[in-house]
Amino acid sequence: MTLADEQARTAALLDRLAAIGADPPGITRHAFDERENAAHALAIAEAARLGFEVTRDAATNLYLTWPGTDRAAPRILLGSHFDSVRHGGNFDGAAGVLAALAAVSTLRAEGFAPRADITIAAFRCEEAVWFGLGLIGSRAALGMLPPDALDRRRADTGLTLAEHIARCGGDPAAIAPGRRLSPAGPIRCFLEAHIEQAPSLIEAGLPLAICTGIPGNIRHAAIRITGEHAHVGLPRRFRHDAALAGADLFTALDALWTGEEAAGRAMAFTIGRFHTDTTKHEITVVAGDFTLSLDLRAYDATHLAALEQRLHAIVAEVATRRGVTIDLGPRNAAPVGPCDPALQASLAAAASRIGITTMPLGSPASHDAANFAAAGIPTGLLLIRNANGSHNPREAVDPADLMAAAATFAEWLRAEAAA
């Protein structure tokens, strides 16, 4: 079995995943639902082919384990996720699970024997679009799920996260903060491969990057601005315009980003929802209600905390100036995920030994790997070149680049995990 054989097998699996998720104009693999279940079934079939052990935890995260010669040794954990955003692409998350499968399949065909267990994980519900909270599966696996998470409802079904987990065969009653669900015993490290969600590798002309860190984020999914509905002819000095207050927030945050970027402090913010109340808005009505969402992120915990303070100052200033009230609503946060320096070096060396040129690069996006890093588990992340961005139907990964990630993992395991 060669890597070329694995490339053909992986391409066929990607085609089957695309068929599972087909939702023109893109791909939708709903979290904790039939399509994510079907993706897990594909991975289970691969585990059966390879003779690996298959287990699930109470949150229905999937673990495929190649037993080592020393079952008590700290396991090596690799993985990513299968769910997608609505009408997204076929590679976000799935490429990481398939790269790990291709790596271990190659090693098994070579007759490689691992000393410790090697486990491939497919975590549930990485995308925040489903329950307004991201990285749910890996948070649950590590005992990091917020106490209110199980009561969150999926917007399209109206069912709670607990109900969805139970429908998939899980046990929501066993999920609690501080209770680890992932496979028993120590974890030596967690490795993930993920498509890059910016064009940095396209720009650099390289197939892979060794990630240096994953940003933490603060999210407010439903910021509510309340002013006063009024006649279109009302003079400016009498208005309490919620829409203009929303615009002020947007432009103030953009000015903040511009200043931080000029000072060399990496950050980003995204406003994905930005709208008046569709049941009340009219062309001749000053908007008294406005709703927006906010994702604020940075690579350093202290910097992120300072940015949140700036956010609150901006909110207070806009509310006073526009004569409105601004309710930020529920706050969610994901930790900053620094990648382990030793793993960065050894992954880069593994790639170099097989002729793959890489570069160091911070991830612009959150990943399950961030939770492992925050839990104190050494974490490494490979970023795979991807054209046309992510979270859209035009995601485009060259199969050779995906195999470069698989080959790098395989070479790393040869050097680090032999019996």
Side-chain angles (χ1 to χ4, degrees):
M1 182 71 67
T2 67
L3 206 60
D5 296 319
E6 289 302 329
Q7 181 168 319
R9 186 189 305 278
T10 300
L13 288 171
L14 282 167
D15 287 343
R16 293 176 69 184
L17 285 171
I20 288 169
D23 187 16
I27 296 290
T28 305
R29 289 190 288 266
H30 311 78
F32 292 108
D33 217 327
E34 288 82 358
R35 294 186 182 192
E36 192 182 41
N37 292 345
H40 280 215
L42 281 184
I44 291 169
E46 282 298 291
R49 178 182 69 83
L50 295 167
F52 291 177
E53 297 174 356
V54 176
T55 57
R56 297 182 184 84
D57 64 22
T60 68
N61 293 308
L62 177 66
Y63 305 102
L64 316 175
T65 297
W66 186 4
T69 58
D70 180 1
R71 303 294 311 259
R75 79 177 62 241
I76 295 170
L77 188 61
L78 305 92
S80 194
H81 64 99
F82 278 125
D83 66 304
S84 75
V85 299
R86 297 181 186 89
H87 301 132
N90 197 35
F91 298 98
D92 187 333
V97 179
L98 296 190
L101 279 168
V104 297
S105 182
T106 299
L107 291 175
R108 183 180 175 279
E110 293 174 358
F112 180 87
R115 176 175 175 268
D117 287 4
I118 297 175
T119 298
I120 298 171
F123 295 111
R124 291 280 188 168
C125 194
E126 192 264 4
E127 303 291 357
V129 298
W130 300 110
F131 294 93
L133 177 68
L135 317 178
I136 283 176
S138 57
R139 287 180 195 251
L142 293 164
M144 298 168 65
L145 203 63
D148 68 338
L150 292 171
D151 296 324
R152 289 172 176 265
R153 295 185 181 275
R154 220 177 82 178
D156 56 342
T157 66
L159 299 177
T160 65
L161 174 58
E163 289 170 326
H164 270 281
I165 290 173
R167 281 168 45 137
C168 291
D171 181 9
I175 302 170
R179 182 184 297 171
R180 179 179 146 185
L181 305 176
S182 57
I187 298 173
R188 174 180 168 184
C189 64
F190 176 71
L191 302 176
E192 182 172 6
H194 203 286
I195 63 173
E196 193 202 358
Q197 292 166 303
S200 302
L201 287 168
I202 295 289
E203 181 181 67
L206 296 176
L208 292 180
I210 310 297
C211 186
T212 56
I214 303 163
N217 66 58
I218 293 160
R219 286 175 171 163
H220 293 277
I223 300 172
R224 177 76 180 274
I225 304 176
T226 305
E228 289 182 3
H229 290 284
H231 188 277
V232 68
L234 189 69
R236 185 177 186 277
R237 67 184 181 277
F238 297 122
R239 295 189 182 201
H240 301 275
D241 192 322
L244 282 179
D248 286 350
L249 274 181
F250 207 137
T251 54
L253 287 168
D254 192 40
L256 171 63
W257 190 0
T258 300
E260 294 295 293
E261 193 171 64
R265 295 186 290 267
M267 65 156 286
F269 84 92
T270 301
I271 292 178
R273 300 171 185 157
F274 193 74
H275 56 87
T276 49
D277 184 341
T278 57
T279 65
K280 299 177 183 177
H281 66 184
E282 298 292 349
I283 193 171
T284 57
V285 174
V286 175
D289 293 293
F290 200 83
T291 300
L292 65 149
S293 64
L294 175 64
D295 178 302
L296 181 66
R297 55 185 55 199
Y299 289 91
D300 175 81
T302 301
H303 184 208
L304 186 59
L307 291 173
E308 186 171 23
Q309 288 185 335
R310 294 282 298 279
L311 166 65
H312 286 283
I314 289 169
V315 165
E317 188 277 326
V318 170
T320 298
R321 177 159 46 83
R322 289 291 180 185
V324 299
T325 60
I326 302 177
D327 179 5
L328 290 174
R331 175 190 183 275
N332 296 310
V336 171
C339 290
D340 182 75
L343 282 175
Q344 291 181 54
S346 60
L347 286 168
S352 179
R353 287 196 299 272
I354 55 177
I356 297 171
T357 302
T358 63
M359 62 183 281
L361 184 67
S363 171
S366 299
H367 303 288
D368 289 308
N371 286 329
F372 286 87
I377 296 168
T379 297
L381 175 63
L382 295 180
L383 297 172
I384 305 170
R385 177 166 50 189
N386 164 48
N388 308 322
S390 182
H391 288 187
N392 71 74
R394 297 174 62 241
E395 288 175 3
V397 173
D398 188 318
D401 293 344
L402 181 53
M403 287 302 104
T408 299
F409 279 158
E411 177 61 20
W412 186 90
L413 289 166
R414 286 187 194 100
E416 301 286 340

